[in-house]
Amino acid sequence: MIEEKYYISDFCLIRDKKVFKNGVELYTDLESTSLKDFAKGIYKFLELKYPKFHKMDELCKLGFLASEVLLNEKEKVDQDTALVLSNRASSLDTDRKHQLSIQDREDFYPSPAVFVYTLPNIIMGEISIKHKMKSENAFFVTDSFDADFITSYSKILMNTGKASDVICGWVDLDNDKYDVFLAFLSKKGKKELTKEELNKLYKQ
């Protein structure tokens, strides 16, 4: 049986106050003093109008913004596009902030707004809602970006017909240190999908 070939048609990186798409720098903000300001700058740069963005925690904002960069030239995303994401710390960054608000006996007002958007699946939910995607989605917690696992899992989804395309990658945030990489996998493209190619793009 001949194995179906899949390709990496687009990829996005958000690192060190810079945003890249397909290796080209799209946005830089070396002046921002916080991740919140940096994310707001990307939102304005992309000219987005999505009110729920302002309710998201920083992890969700990063994943959402990366998906907008990744998909901004596509007229429409197939509803059978799957999401396969991962990171190292789950929602720990926001969980810490919520814990601190609970521990503060003098100012004990833990707000539901702090944790409503903390779970990693919220990232996938917001991306799916925005682009009307109804396929498989999974979020894995691993020590580092595992190109081998992500590639294999994505191929299984497409080979079995559970997904037409896949948005995969790494959305990590811990103590304001962020590392975001998303790739769009499909049957069309110039870069063939292999674990080596996916890992190379991630490490750019």
Side-chain angles (χ1 to χ4, degrees):
M1 182 177 176
I2 300 174
E3 185 176 340
E4 181 88 50
K5 282 189 177 181
Y6 298 104
Y7 298 87
I8 304 165
S9 62
D10 294 288
F11 67 98
C12 168
L13 284 160
I14 301 180
R15 282 183 194 144
D16 302 323
K17 298 185 178 181
K18 296 180 180 180
V19 179
F20 299 86
K21 181 173 182 181
N22 298 333
V24 178
E25 187 176 313
L26 293 186
Y27 178 80
T28 306
D29 180 9
L30 301 178
E31 304 302 317
S32 60
T33 56
S34 69
L35 176 54
K36 184 177 182 179
D37 288 342
F38 175 58
K40 190 184 294 183
I42 302 172
Y43 179 86
K44 289 180 179 178
F45 170 76
L46 294 173
E47 299 180 346
L48 297 175
K49 293 180 181 178
Y50 196 72
K52 284 197 289 182
F53 173 83
H54 304 288
K55 296 181 181 180
M56 299 176 190
D57 75 344
E58 306 314 316
L59 179 69
C60 189
K61 285 178 181 177
L62 286 169
F64 180 80
L65 290 169
S67 72
E68 289 303 298
V69 171
L70 189 73
L71 302 173
N72 68 356
E73 293 179 358
K74 296 187 184 299
E75 290 184 15
K76 186 179 179 182
V77 180
D78 193 303
Q79 69 172 11
D80 291 326
T81 299
L83 283 162
V84 181
L85 305 180
S86 59
N87 75 7
R88 180 188 296 110
S90 187
S91 58
L92 184 60
D93 189 77
T94 304
D95 294 340
R96 283 198 198 99
K97 293 171 186 174
H98 183 61
Q99 181 62 31
L100 287 173
S101 72
I102 293 173
Q103 289 176 322
D104 190 343
R105 293 176 181 272
E106 295 179 5
D107 189 22
F108 185 78
Y109 293 106
S111 168
V114 176
F115 64 83
V116 165
Y117 276 90
T118 61
L119 297 176
N121 66 330
I122 295 295
I123 301 172
M124 297 184 292
E126 287 296 349
I127 295 171
S128 297
I129 291 168
K130 176 74 162 52
H131 296 282
K132 298 179 173 60
M133 293 155 50
K134 300 177 181 179
S135 185
E136 298 278 322
N137 64 61
F139 200 110
F140 300 96
V141 177
T142 55
D143 288 335
S144 59
F145 178 64
D146 190 339
D148 188 6
F149 175 75
I150 293 290
T151 299
S152 298
Y153 193 92
S154 298
K155 283 184 175 181
I156 288 171
L157 289 178
M158 292 186 284
N159 280 333
T160 56
K162 290 185 176 180
S164 57
D165 309 298
V166 175
I167 296 171
C168 71
W170 178 257
V171 184
D172 194 56
L173 170 65
D174 193 11
N175 284 324
D176 279 351
K177 293 180 180 177
Y178 54 92
D179 183 19
V180 181
F181 167 72
L182 292 186
F184 191 88
L185 314 179
S186 66
K187 292 182 179 180
K188 298 178 181 178
K190 294 180 180 178
K191 299 179 186 294
E192 186 175 344
L193 173 60
T194 64
K195 63 180 180 182
E196 292 83 8
E197 186 64 34
L198 197 63
N199 203 40
K200 185 175 83 172
L201 297 178
Y202 166 71
K203 290 184 175 179
Q204 279 194 1

